[in-house]
Structure formats: C-alpha cells, structure tokens
Amino acid sequence: MKTCPSPTCQPRQNLLLADLPEADLASWAADLQPVALSLGQVLCESGSTAAYVYFPTTAIVSLLYLTQDGESTEIAVVGRDGVVGISLFMGGNGTPSRSVVQSAGEALRLPAHRVKQEITQAGAIQAMLLGYTQSLMAQMAQTAACNRYHSIDQLLCRRLLMGLDRLPSEALMMTQELLANLLGVRREGVTAAALRLSQAGLISYSRGRIAVLDRARLEQRIGDPMMAGKQGGAASMQIAA
C-alpha cells in the first residue's frame, strides 16, 4: 500500500469526518494517514482482525461475503460516505466479510488502537461511528432483499447507481469479472444485462464503456425507489475487460 501525501486527500472529503466537530477531528489529525488504494486490493480478510479503519475519500470498497466453496457476493459498498472496519468499534475480534477495493482511489486510515480509544469516551466520534453502523446494517438488509427478488438487470442498475453515488467524479474503473463477483452472477450474465439496458435506452455500452443516459428510468427499472441513489444527472462507468 502506498502512502498518499497528495494535498487533495483531505479528511473532510470523507462525509463522516466532515461532520465531526473541529476539536474531535483534530484529535485524530496526527494519526490519519493518507493512502492510495489500488483496484482489487484486500484491506481485511474475512475472520481476521483489522489493523486499521479506512475512511475512503475517492476510493470505493466492497464488503464481500465468502462461501465455503470460494464464491463471493457483495453485501455492502463503502465510499466517501463511510468507514471500513466497523468490527473494531463493535466489540468483535474479527470481521465476517472481506474488504476489497473495487474502485481505485484514496483513503485515510487510522490505527485500530486509536479507534478503540475514542469509542470508549462516548463523545461525538462514538456517535458518528455507531450512527454509520446502523446505516450500513440497513444497506446490508436492503442488499439481501435485492439479491433475493431482483433480476440481473435490476441488480446491475442498482449497482451502477450505488457506485455513482459514492464517487466524486462520474467515472468508475473495474473489470467485468469483478463486477460479476460483486453481483454474485456469471460474467456472461453481466454482459447480457448490460446489452438489455442498452437496448432499452438506459445506458450506452460499447467495448466495455457504460454511460448512464437516463438516471430516472434506471431508478424506475429497479422497482423500489428506496433502492435508487440520490444524485441526479448523467454519468459514466468504465468497465475494463
């Protein structure tokens, strides 16, 4: 993992850190280390104890559930809206999911012991972390319902929206194989779903490039308005073969 001394990687780029009072954020300032996260990088393995928590600023991290036969499916997405490593402040010794970078970018990491120190003080930082944990649990429950009842087309629509909502820009780079793993489907299923969405005029798809042409209709395609994202406008997603 590379350190990231870039002046563009600032704490308040992460929405959780941005909501902290200045004094609370200042208490972490010396220990927050900017890092560059690469596509496919594993931040924490399932069952292990994390050494750091990560506050993404421009990166997106997937939380994956692994089956005994080695298959995986995405249970939650963390971007600049959240933090990776909630098990450290929830009293657990290990995490039930694997944390994998699915969109390269930057993050700020904090040593585990500093998080544990703050969580015992019952202040603004504790309230922030526990509040985010509740929202992450809601996202996981929503994902479980979608995986049970939605078609591949709907899952792809939702995944596009979730990715776009967590990016400071309008582009996302990832492989088709990774996208298929996130959705828990075959790679051929992702290709076919993208083609159907293209034919419906929701996206344009050519040689791995997906551009969202009609976000409103993309949200409608999912069926449940609560599954859709909150940002408007056209956006694009790059999928490398």
Side-chain angles (χ1 to χ4, degrees), residues 155-168:
L155 292 176
L156 179 57
C157 289
R158 178 175 182 263
R159 192 61 189 78
L160 287 170
L161 293 170
M162 291 179 70
L164 294 173
D165 283 345
R166 288 162 174 81
L167 285 174

Side-chain angles (χ1 to χ4, degrees), residues 4-183:
C4 176
S6 169
T8 63
C9 189
Q10 299 297 322
R12 296 206 181 273
Q13 286 182 285
N14 178 277
L15 301 184
L16 291 183
L17 296 179
D19 282 342
L20 284 178
E22 192 65 39
D24 293 284
L25 183 57
S27 71
W28 271 356
D31 298 304
L32 281 171
Q33 180 186 23
V35 292
L37 305 181
S38 58
L39 176 65
Q41 180 178 344
V42 177
L43 302 183
C44 188
E45 283 288 0
S46 175
S48 64
T49 301
Y52 300 91
V53 296
Y54 293 84
F55 294 90
T57 55
T58 59
I60 298 179
V61 179
S62 291
L63 306 185
L64 305 176
Y65 180 81
L66 305 180
T67 63
Q68 290 184 345
D69 59 5
E71 297 295 325
S72 66
T73 187
E74 186 177 64
I75 58 174
V77 184
V78 182
R80 56 179 175 161
D81 60 321
V83 56
V84 178
I86 65 170
S87 62
L88 286 174
F89 51 85
M90 293 299 291
N93 293 322
T95 176
S97 60
R98 172 188 286 173
S99 305
V100 181
V101 180
Q102 64 97 337
S103 181
E106 299 175 348
L108 292 135
R109 70 179 185 183
L110 189 72
H113 73 274
R114 289 292 287 114
V115 179
K116 293 179 179 179
Q117 287 174 357
E118 292 291 345
I119 204 67
T120 61
Q121 298 181 19
I125 290 177
Q126 182 197 59
M128 174 267 286
L129 293 174
L130 294 180
Y132 174 71
T133 299
Q134 183 177 14
S135 69
L136 188 65
M137 291 173 63
Q139 183 190 152
M140 291 179 178
Q142 196 174 79
T143 297
C146 289
N147 290 345
R148 172 65 177 84
Y149 295 107
H150 283 182
S151 66
I152 295 179
D153 298 47
Q154 291 172 307
L155 292 176
L156 179 57
C157 289
R158 178 175 182 263
R159 192 61 189 78
L160 287 170
L161 293 170
M162 291 179 70
L164 294 173
D165 283 345
R166 288 162 174 81
L167 285 174
S169 65
E170 297 183 344
L172 177 65
M173 296 293 299
M174 63 195 309
T175 64
Q176 290 185 16
E177 189 67 29
L178 177 57
L179 183 56
N181 288 338
L182 298 180
L183 297 180

